[in-house]
């Protein structure tokens, strides 16, 4: 009997699950219901779209859920009948399921400020979806100035994108330094200086108290009595898991929809993955864990690996904005008995902080031009011992103990080294793909999915492919 699997959400998590199920054997019908009227797209790349570096066609996911699935875009789900195992949709349809997967993602937080109602003014736009990005670009066309409320990761990416388009851009952040969840005050100060050099003004430690929008522009009122004026206000005040359907259906919900190691909710016929899911008390918020959850759930639902379990990997945060190279991981901002090393060069926009315990990295912040960023991520991700000469990581020097120094050539990288963090693609997988006949960067990327998340590994993949092409030519010549 054909199993009916219904996925609510055609975002990065839902589309990936549909593709994973399609790649596995089994008699099942997969239906994907997406509230947004678009094909699945890469939300991470919206900042590049905002900056004008890519077009809309470039944010579409190559493995959209329509491949082998019944995809219904622009169809919001309004309710779940667990007793009848049916979904109700906004167009009046009722869709039965044998197994339901919630991949409803998260929604942008609109702060409760005077002047912000349910229907936001045209010149006030959150930064979360493709439609949000289109609205921002529509207002930015012909605008001269912009305000961004929120100095977290997405807010800074939005600010950098708008500044790249020539708008005089100001970030207003209530905390004392930028990205306070990932950075310490020293790193935040260096980042603020880097952004200032790129045309972004920073206003720190000043909450907003109200918004007034009119046909000619927007006014943002601040707690210190000042008012800032601009043509556009972008809201980047965080996101909140979209748990409405789950809560109304009586599933266990805390901050997110509570799931176990098999991604099951309190109803064994319903799973949840991605931003809406809460596993072991933690939310994901990043693409790598969402895709890892999709992979595990596909193994379980298809029967390919019924005992598969989701085990979160250490998270690495990257700021993806032109002119800024930032990586933050682990507990890099706390206090404690860990060995700690720091280096600051504000004039060059460089900052590094490493925290080490028992010869392993427990946290790191690397900002600016540091050749060892890739090596630090590898050491943190794999829990390997750090070099005896810490300067090789702090300053990017190529000294250290055998096996841990930065690799000067891909030939020196172990096959187990993770090149693509988003999809957990190793150097060995890239080499195997090449040996199997994928003889170009694009072919290797398509076959392994490397580079389809944040895109930060594309240069590394290109370097490995270039090394393989040269190595093969030498072999053939001989």
């Amino acid at each position: 009997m054909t199993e009916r699997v219904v996925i609510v959400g055609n975002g990065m998590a839902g589309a990936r699950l549909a593709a994973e199920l399609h790649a596995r054997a089994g008699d099942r019908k997969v239906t994907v219901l997406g509230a947004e009227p678009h094909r699945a797209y890469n939300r991470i790349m919206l900042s590049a779209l905002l900056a004008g570096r890519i077009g809309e066609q470039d944010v579409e996911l190559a493995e959209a859920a329509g491949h082998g699935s019944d995809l219904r875009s622009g169809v919001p789900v309004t309710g779940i009948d667990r007793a009848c195992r049916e979904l109700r949709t906004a167009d009046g349809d009722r869709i039965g399921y044998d197994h339901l997967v919630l991949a409803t993602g998260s929604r942008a937080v609109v702060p409760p400020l005077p002047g912000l109602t349910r229907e936001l003014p045209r010149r006030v736009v959150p930064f979360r979806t493709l439609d949000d990005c289109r609205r921002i670009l529509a207002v930015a066309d012909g605008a001269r100035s912009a305000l961004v409320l929120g100095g977290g990761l997405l807010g800074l990416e939005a600010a950098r994108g708008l500044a790249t388009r020539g708008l005089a851009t100001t970030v207003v952040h209530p905390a004392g330094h930028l990205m306070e969840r990932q950075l310490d005050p020293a790193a935040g100060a260096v980042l603020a200086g880097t952004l200032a050099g790129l045309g972004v003004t920073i206003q720190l430690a000043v909450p907003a108290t109200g918004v007034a929008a009119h046909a000619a522009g927007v006014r943002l009122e601040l707690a210190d009595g000042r008012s800032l004026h601009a043509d556009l206000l972008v809201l980047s005040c965080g996101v909140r898991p979209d748990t409405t359907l789950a809560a109304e259906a009586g599933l266990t919900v805390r901050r997110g929809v509570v799931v176990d190691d098999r991604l099951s909710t309190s109803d064994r016929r319903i799973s949840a993955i991605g931003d809406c899911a809460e596993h072991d008390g933690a939310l994901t918020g990043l693409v790598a864990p969402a895709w890892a959850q999709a992979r595990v759930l596909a193994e379980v639902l298809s029967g390919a690996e019924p005992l598969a379990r989701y085990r979160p990997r250490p998270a690495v945060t990257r700021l993806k904005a032109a002119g800024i190279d930032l990586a933050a991981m682990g507990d890099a901002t706390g206090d404690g008995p860990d060995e700690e090393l720091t280096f600051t060069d504000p004039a060059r926009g460089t900052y590094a902080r490493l925290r080490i315990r028992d010869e392993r990295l427990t946290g790191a912040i690397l900002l600016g031009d540091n050749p060892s960023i890739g090596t630090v991520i590898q050491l943190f991700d794999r829990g390997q011992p750090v070099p005896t000469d810490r300067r090789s990581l702090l300053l990017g020097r190529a000294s250290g103990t055998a096996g841990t120094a930065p690799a000067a050539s891909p030939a020196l990288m172990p096959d187990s080294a993770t090149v693509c963090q988003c999809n957990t693609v190793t150097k060995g997988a890239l080499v195997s793909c090449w040996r199997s006949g994928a003889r170009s960067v694009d072919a290797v990327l398509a076959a392994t999915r490397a580079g389809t998340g944040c895109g930060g590994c594309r240069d590394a993949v290109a370097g490995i492919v270039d090394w393989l092409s040269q190595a093969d030519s030498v072999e053939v010549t001989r």
Side-chain angles (χ1 to χ4, degrees):
M1 182 177 177
T2 301
E3 182 184 31
R4 300 167 300 171
V5 178
V6 179
I7 303 170
V8 180
N10 189 34
M12 298 182 75
R16 173 57 65 90
L17 175 60
E20 294 279 0
L21 288 171
H22 180 61
R24 290 164 172 77
D27 185 13
R28 73 183 70 87
K29 176 185 177 183
V30 178
T31 301
V32 182
L33 304 173
E36 294 185 72
H38 326 289
R39 286 171 53 90
Y41 60 89
N42 188 335
R43 199 182 305 278
I44 301 173
M45 301 304 292
L46 291 181
S47 56
L49 177 62
L50 194 61
R53 299 200 307 271
I54 60 174
E56 280 198 12
Q57 70 279 2
D58 300 311
V59 305
E60 287 189 358
L61 292 176
E63 51 174 19
H67 296 173
S69 304
D70 177 14
L71 171 62
R72 306 186 192 181
S73 299
V75 180
V77 174
T78 58
I80 303 170
D81 186 334
R82 291 168 54 193
C84 297
R85 294 206 298 274
E86 284 186 338
L87 299 177
R88 299 186 300 274
T89 66
D91 57 9
D93 199 5
R94 298 182 74 90
I95 301 171
Y97 66 85
D98 297 306
H99 197 92
L100 173 65
V101 182
L102 299 177
T104 50
S106 55
R107 297 180 180 274
V109 171
V110 177
L113 294 175
L116 295 184
T117 60
R118 186 178 182 87
E119 294 295 328
L120 293 176
R122 174 179 175 271
R123 293 181 180 273
V124 180
V125 191
F127 182 45
R128 178 63 182 166
T129 68
L130 178 57
D131 281 340
D132 291 338
C133 198
R134 288 172 172 171
R135 290 178 59 201
I136 292 171
L137 291 174
V139 178
D141 185 22
R144 300 174 61 184
S145 59
L147 297 170
V148 177
L149 184 57
L153 186 67
L154 289 180
L156 298 185
E157 290 183 356
R160 178 64 180 124
L162 291 168
T164 300
R165 288 185 172 272
L167 277 69
T169 305
T170 299
V171 173
V172 178
H173 192 51
H177 66 278
L178 298 172
M179 292 181 63
E180 71 278 4
R181 293 184 180 181
Q182 296 88 12
L183 305 183
D184 58 23
V190 174
L191 179 57
T194 299
L195 286 164
L198 295 171
V200 178
T201 301
I202 307 295
Q203 299 284 346
L204 295 171
V206 54
T209 58
V211 175
H214 45 84
V218 181
R219 185 177 74 250
L220 184 66
E221 304 290 350
L222 304 181
D224 60 7
R226 289 181 297 150
S227 297
L228 300 180
H229 300 259
D231 300 312
L232 165 68
L233 171 61
V234 175
L235 302 177
S236 185
C237 304
V239 296
R240 183 175 293 119
D242 190 347
T243 60
T244 303
L245 278 176
E248 291 177 349
L251 299 177
T252 301
V253 173
R254 296 192 187 111
R255 288 189 299 160
V257 185
V258 176
V259 298
D260 59 19
D261 290 351
R262 300 175 76 240
L263 289 315
S264 291
T265 68
S266 51
D267 183 330
R268 66 181 184 85
R269 290 188 176 273
I270 302 179
S271 302
I273 60 173
D275 286 3
C276 71
E278 178 182 332
H279 174 265
D280 198 22
L283 303 172
T284 61
L286 299 171
V287 66
W291 282 351
Q293 290 175 355
R295 189 163 54 248
V296 168
L297 186 55
E299 293 283 278
V300 173
L301 293 182
S302 67
E305 184 54 65
L307 299 180
R309 296 291 185 270
Y310 170 65
R311 294 288 184 266
R313 296 167 61 89
V316 178
T317 300
R318 300 296 300 266
L319 176 58
K320 294 160 287 294
I324 304 172
D325 197 357
L326 169 64
M329 62 210 79
D331 181 16
T333 63
D335 298 319
D338 293 4
E339 175 187 350
E340 186 169 306
L341 301 93
T342 59
F343 172 79
T344 308
D345 185 353
R348 294 180 179 270
T350 302
Y351 178 84
R353 180 177 182 180
L354 307 176
R355 290 174 60 83
I356 300 168
R357 183 186 308 154
D358 298 328
E359 297 301 307
R360 266 74 175 174
L361 282 168
T362 60
I365 299 171
L366 295 173
L367 172 61
D369 184 14
N370 190 323
S372 66
I373 283 183
T375 301
V376 170
I377 292 175
Q378 290 290 334
L379 292 173
F380 175 76
D381 187 58
R382 298 164 64 192
Q384 287 189 328
V386 297
T388 54
D389 181 0
R390 314 299 203 225
R391 292 172 299 174
S392 63
L393 301 180
L394 197 63
L395 305 177
R397 297 177 182 174
S399 60
T401 58
T404 61
S409 162
L412 303 179
M413 291 175 63
D415 282 349
S416 59
T418 303
V419 178
C420 174
Q421 296 288 324
C422 295
N423 286 288
T424 320
V425 180
T426 64
K427 176 209 167 184
L430 296 173
V431 172
S432 177
C433 180
W434 173 272
R435 301 298 187 199
S436 298
R439 296 296 172 139
S440 69
V441 173
D442 287 343
V444 170
L445 292 172
T448 63
R449 291 174 170 160
T452 60
C454 70
C457 66
R458 285 177 175 263
D459 287 345
V461 174
I464 291 172
V465 169
D466 183 61
W467 162 69
L468 286 167
S469 65
Q470 294 180 36
D472 275 4
S473 66
V474 172
E475 292 174 8
V476 171
T477 301
R478 289 178 181 173

